[in-house]
Amino acid sequence: MRTVADLRKHIALWRKRDERVGLVPTMGALHQGHMALVQAARTECARVVASIFVNPKQFAPTEDLGSYPRREASDLQMLRSASADLVFIPAVDEMYPPDFATLVRVDGLTEGLCGAHRAGHFDGVTTVVTKLLIQALPDIAYFGEKDYQQLTVVRRLVRDLDIPVHITGVPTVREPDGLALSSRNAYLSAEERRIAPNLARVLRSVAGALRQDPNAIAPEVARGSAALQQAGFAVEYLEIREAGTLARISEATASSRVFAAVRLGKTRLIDNMPIGPEA
Ligand code: AMP
């Protein structure tokens, strides 16, 4: 479907039959991380809707909107083999007509971590996610823990605006060497791809050390940052935060997470892990 009207028509039919609808919002260039969201939806919902929309509002003018990978044909192929029922691929004008004037913004949660380094990014995310949720009216919407701050912000958004949808977080899917799958991994040169798994390796090591010594946040952040630089990354941030609230903490607990964003050449990579036992 390319229009909101067509999307609504199909989903309304399913809702009338009391079929549970799951929504998986994506920006396309799909990989097995996205497919984990589709599979989670497939197991819980009678109908699975995926959206593909490279949302211009969540890219700053200096960012990679123009070069962001677009692979509609292979995306459709993947969604077909994962038995998605419907794919919504709106044009930019369908989502944002020229006189579009509304912004949805979540304060607080969006200020630190990626929010501090990507001006306007989360306003773009919350605006488009609100639109997609109202357009599709799913019972459940699926978001990846890979973008943990985004997941937390979206949970708050639906709570604050009383949007009647359940938000389900799906664990990060990784390459065998630990690198979190991301559409942006396609930007990496062979040399950068060799370096990239060190991000997950360092986060895992910081999480492990804090599990042993919850008071070692400052030294572990320093050690982790140095290790990332040593590996060849430019570090945007490495921080330990409370998972539910993203609050800064002075002592790690089982519900803390380690978050990082780095640059590797022109590519920005993010990752996060729990301090708790599953790290
Ligand atoms: P994107 O297309 O990058 O906007 O991602 C669409 C959705 O897929 C978001 O909810 C992401 O958090 C999720 N996602 C992206 N990469 C992964 C991954 N490696 N594992 C799990 N979920 C992911």
PDB file of all heavy atoms in Angstrom, residues 12 15 57 61 67 107 132 137 204 210 221 233:
ATOM      1  N   ALA A  12      -8.859  -2.035   8.498  1.00  0.00           N
ATOM      2  CA  ALA A  12     -10.217  -1.944   9.065  1.00  0.00           C
ATOM      3  C   ALA A  12     -10.959  -3.272   8.892  1.00  0.00           C
ATOM      4  O   ALA A  12     -11.676  -3.722   9.800  1.00  0.00           O
ATOM      5  CB  ALA A  12     -10.992  -0.814   8.395  1.00  0.00           C
ATOM      6  N   ARG A  15      -9.645  -5.654  11.483  1.00  0.00           N
ATOM      7  CA  ARG A  15     -10.105  -5.294  12.836  1.00  0.00           C
ATOM      8  C   ARG A  15     -11.566  -5.701  13.014  1.00  0.00           C
ATOM      9  O   ARG A  15     -11.974  -6.137  14.092  1.00  0.00           O
ATOM     10  CB  ARG A  15      -9.932  -3.800  13.082  1.00  0.00           C
ATOM     11  CG  ARG A  15      -8.475  -3.358  13.073  1.00  0.00           C
ATOM     12  CD  ARG A  15      -8.357  -1.880  13.384  1.00  0.00           C
ATOM     13  NE  ARG A  15      -8.731  -1.612  14.763  1.00  0.00           N
ATOM     14  CZ  ARG A  15      -7.928  -1.780  15.803  1.00  0.00           C
ATOM     15  NH1 ARG A  15      -6.699  -2.200  15.625  1.00  0.00           N
ATOM     16  NH2 ARG A  15      -8.348  -1.508  17.018  1.00  0.00           N
ATOM     17  N   LYS A  57      12.347  13.707   8.435  1.00  0.00           N
ATOM     18  CA  LYS A  57      12.337  14.544   9.638  1.00  0.00           C
ATOM     19  C   LYS A  57      13.281  14.057  10.733  1.00  0.00           C
ATOM     20  O   LYS A  57      13.576  14.788  11.665  1.00  0.00           O
ATOM     21  CB  LYS A  57      10.913  14.626  10.225  1.00  0.00           C
ATOM     22  CG  LYS A  57       9.998  15.528   9.416  1.00  0.00           C
ATOM     23  CD  LYS A  57       8.758  15.905  10.207  1.00  0.00           C
ATOM     24  CE  LYS A  57       7.769  16.628   9.327  1.00  0.00           C
ATOM     25  NZ  LYS A  57       8.267  17.937   8.860  1.00  0.00           N
ATOM     26  N   PRO A  61      20.293  18.037   8.629  1.00  0.00           N
ATOM     27  CA  PRO A  61      20.776  18.373   7.278  1.00  0.00           C
ATOM     28  C   PRO A  61      22.163  17.804   6.975  1.00  0.00           C
ATOM     29  O   PRO A  61      22.480  17.517   5.827  1.00  0.00           O
ATOM     30  CB  PRO A  61      20.816  19.909   7.297  1.00  0.00           C
ATOM     31  CG  PRO A  61      19.881  20.320   8.374  1.00  0.00           C
ATOM     32  CD  PRO A  61      19.857  19.207   9.395  1.00  0.00           C
ATOM     33  N   SER A  67      22.004   9.396   1.112  1.00  0.00           N
ATOM     34  CA  SER A  67      22.729   8.150   0.796  1.00  0.00           C
ATOM     35  C   SER A  67      22.169   6.945   1.553  1.00  0.00           C
ATOM     36  O   SER A  67      22.672   5.836   1.393  1.00  0.00           O
ATOM     37  CB  SER A  67      24.212   8.328   1.129  1.00  0.00           C
ATOM     38  OG  SER A  67      24.363   8.704   2.482  1.00  0.00           O
ATOM     39  N   ASP A 107       9.884  15.260  25.864  1.00  0.00           N
ATOM     40  CA  ASP A 107      10.982  15.942  26.570  1.00  0.00           C
ATOM     41  C   ASP A 107      11.747  14.962  27.462  1.00  0.00           C
ATOM     42  O   ASP A 107      11.306  13.859  27.710  1.00  0.00           O
ATOM     43  CB  ASP A 107      10.418  17.072  27.436  1.00  0.00           C
ATOM     44  CG  ASP A 107      10.063  18.291  26.602  1.00  0.00           C
ATOM     45  OD1 ASP A 107      10.710  18.502  25.561  1.00  0.00           O
ATOM     46  OD2 ASP A 107       9.133  19.013  26.998  1.00  0.00           O
ATOM     47  N   LEU A 132       2.307   6.888  12.169  1.00  0.00           N
ATOM     48  CA  LEU A 132       2.164   5.477  11.763  1.00  0.00           C
ATOM     49  C   LEU A 132       1.198   4.732  12.687  1.00  0.00           C
ATOM     50  O   LEU A 132       0.394   3.919  12.238  1.00  0.00           O
ATOM     51  CB  LEU A 132       3.535   4.791  11.755  1.00  0.00           C
ATOM     52  CG  LEU A 132       4.467   5.218  10.613  1.00  0.00           C
ATOM     53  CD1 LEU A 132       5.897   4.756  10.891  1.00  0.00           C
ATOM     54  CD2 LEU A 132       3.985   4.653   9.269  1.00  0.00           C
ATOM     55  N   LEU A 137      -3.331   1.927  13.472  1.00  0.00           N
ATOM     56  CA  LEU A 137      -4.044   1.494  14.682  1.00  0.00           C
ATOM     57  C   LEU A 137      -3.780   0.015  15.002  1.00  0.00           C
ATOM     58  O   LEU A 137      -4.717  -0.785  15.102  1.00  0.00           O
ATOM     59  CB  LEU A 137      -5.554   1.741  14.538  1.00  0.00           C
ATOM     60  CG  LEU A 137      -5.982   3.199  14.449  1.00  0.00           C
ATOM     61  CD1 LEU A 137      -7.497   3.304  14.198  1.00  0.00           C
ATOM     62  CD2 LEU A 137      -5.606   3.947  15.730  1.00  0.00           C
ATOM     63  N   ARG A 204      30.442  -5.228  26.108  1.00  0.00           N
ATOM     64  CA  ARG A 204      30.262  -6.456  26.888  1.00  0.00           C
ATOM     65  C   ARG A 204      31.253  -6.482  28.047  1.00  0.00           C
ATOM     66  O   ARG A 204      30.911  -6.878  29.158  1.00  0.00           O
ATOM     67  CB  ARG A 204      30.443  -7.678  25.981  1.00  0.00           C
ATOM     68  CG  ARG A 204      30.050  -8.979  26.633  1.00  0.00           C
ATOM     69  CD  ARG A 204      29.838 -10.102  25.629  1.00  0.00           C
ATOM     70  NE  ARG A 204      28.602  -9.938  24.871  1.00  0.00           N
ATOM     71  CZ  ARG A 204      28.507  -9.837  23.554  1.00  0.00           C
ATOM     72  NH1 ARG A 204      29.609  -9.853  22.820  1.00  0.00           N
ATOM     73  NH2 ARG A 204      27.349  -9.694  22.970  1.00  0.00           N
ATOM     74  N   LEU A 210      31.185  -4.074  35.444  1.00  0.00           N
ATOM     75  CA  LEU A 210      30.250  -3.395  36.360  1.00  0.00           C
ATOM     76  C   LEU A 210      29.389  -4.406  37.116  1.00  0.00           C
ATOM     77  O   LEU A 210      28.917  -4.116  38.220  1.00  0.00           O
ATOM     78  CB  LEU A 210      29.378  -2.407  35.590  1.00  0.00           C
ATOM     79  CG  LEU A 210      30.138  -1.165  35.119  1.00  0.00           C
ATOM     80  CD1 LEU A 210      29.245  -0.293  34.244  1.00  0.00           C
ATOM     81  CD2 LEU A 210      30.660  -0.359  36.312  1.00  0.00           C
ATOM     82  N   VAL A 221      33.879   3.641  32.439  1.00  0.00           N
ATOM     83  CA  VAL A 221      33.577   4.511  31.293  1.00  0.00           C
ATOM     84  C   VAL A 221      34.888   5.009  30.684  1.00  0.00           C
ATOM     85  O   VAL A 221      35.048   5.023  29.453  1.00  0.00           O
ATOM     86  CB  VAL A 221      32.661   5.685  31.720  1.00  0.00           C
ATOM     87  CG1 VAL A 221      32.632   6.775  30.670  1.00  0.00           C
ATOM     88  CG2 VAL A 221      31.251   5.168  31.997  1.00  0.00           C
ATOM     89  N   PHE A 233      37.762   3.797  16.799  1.00  0.00           N
ATOM     90  CA  PHE A 233      36.516   4.556  16.772  1.00  0.00           C
ATOM     91  C   PHE A 233      36.733   5.970  17.302  1.00  0.00           C
ATOM     92  O   PHE A 233      37.555   6.180  18.196  1.00  0.00           O
ATOM     93  CB  PHE A 233      35.466   3.918  17.696  1.00  0.00           C
ATOM     94  CG  PHE A 233      35.088   2.507  17.357  1.00  0.00           C
ATOM     95  CD1 PHE A 233      35.547   1.455  18.135  1.00  0.00           C
ATOM     96  CD2 PHE A 233      34.256   2.232  16.287  1.00  0.00           C
ATOM     97  CE1 PHE A 233      35.179   0.137  17.847  1.00  0.00           C
ATOM     98  CE2 PHE A 233      33.882   0.927  15.992  1.00  0.00           C
ATOM     99  CZ  PHE A 233      34.346  -0.127  16.773  1.00  0.00           C
TER     100      PHE A 233
END
